Amino acid sequence: MSKVIALANQKGGVGKTTTAINLAASLAVLEKKVLLIDADPQANSTSGIGFDLRKIENSIYECLIDDIDPHNVILHSETKGMDLIPSHIDLVGAEIEMLNLPERETVLKRVINKIRDDYDYVLIDCSPSLGLLTLNALTAADSVLIPVQCEYFALEGLGKLLTTVKMIQNRLNTELEIEGFLLTMYDARLRLSNQVVEEVRKHFDKMVFETIIQRNIKLSEAPSYGKPVVLYDANSKGALSYLNLARELLQNNEQKEEEEA
């Protein structure tokens, strides 16, 4: 049974793409078959795992707008078991072009349905906005993982995102669940970081992952080498954090399956 998880937060710079790349790679290292869909026009997930954007012929854009079979767009990454549907700057125009499509909120879902059974996990790296692309991702997903950075404005804007999630649960995807809130960019030396952790845990309680992603130099360096941190430096704090997150996510999902059985 495959699972589709959207990584979303309309606030930029919260570690969303870093999480998409490194969670996907960590799940692959733990022997799951993973597809990462780069649904952000900035295409940082694509370049962050080593693909040259100038050489990409077909991307998620062609799947959405020209109805190209996603099987023909998939790229195999350096990490065994982790594939990618790349993004492209053209995706900026996709929102406008999709406005005229029938059932425009479910275009991505129809694309994913063609390939989801080939994978254990499909992760969607959303763009940092609540536009039509993000609505498509949330409509296609089984759950949404929300990265929250341990900084002053962390809780600002979360209300807006949760309202959008609620609207989608009511109208477009009644099955959508919140996979969890992930605290990122944590710095133990800062009082503020610890206050944000407390605040988020107080608000969202069991919905917050135990794993916290700390600020880590190797984590910041890895994308410039086109590698997930687990390939760049497997012993770094960043690599260990994301492996812990992957294990926690797998454990949570196994538990959920057992409860439902």
Side-chain angles (χ1 to χ4, degrees), residues 117-158:
D117 292 341
D118 303 341
Y119 296 93
D120 298 309
Y121 284 90
V122 177
L123 303 187
I124 311 169
D125 184 16
C126 298
S127 60
S129 74
L130 292 177
L132 190 51
L133 282 171
T134 300
L135 288 187
N136 260 268
L138 293 173
T139 303
D142 299 309
S143 66
V144 54
L145 189 156
I146 302 167
V148 182
Q149 85 283 35
C150 296
E151 283 167 16
Y152 184 64
F153 292 114
L155 294 171
E156 260 197 14
L158 269 189

Side-chain angles (χ1 to χ4, degrees), residues 103-106 109 132 135-136 138-140 164-176:
E103 296 178 348
R104 59 191 181 198
E105 293 91 356
T106 59
K109 184 177 185 149
L132 190 51
L135 288 187
N136 260 268
L138 293 173
T139 303
T164 304
V165 167
K166 212 164 227 101
M167 179 203 89
I168 285 168
Q169 286 169 328
N170 289 337
R171 297 190 200 160
L172 297 163
N173 181 1
T174 50
E175 307 290 304
L176 182 67

Side-chain angles (χ1 to χ4, degrees), residues 1-3 32-35 69-72 74 76 81-83 85 111-122:
M1 210 349 230
S2 72
K3 182 161 197 185
K32 296 294 174 190
K33 205 157 166 14
V34 186
L35 174 67
D69 186 338
H71 289 99
N72 302 330
I74 289 169
H76 304 297
M82 173 183 169
D83 291 347
I85 291 185
V111 171
I112 290 174
N113 282 346
K114 294 174 187 172
I115 43 170
R116 70 177 287 167
D117 292 341
D118 303 341
Y119 296 93
D120 298 309
Y121 284 90
V122 177

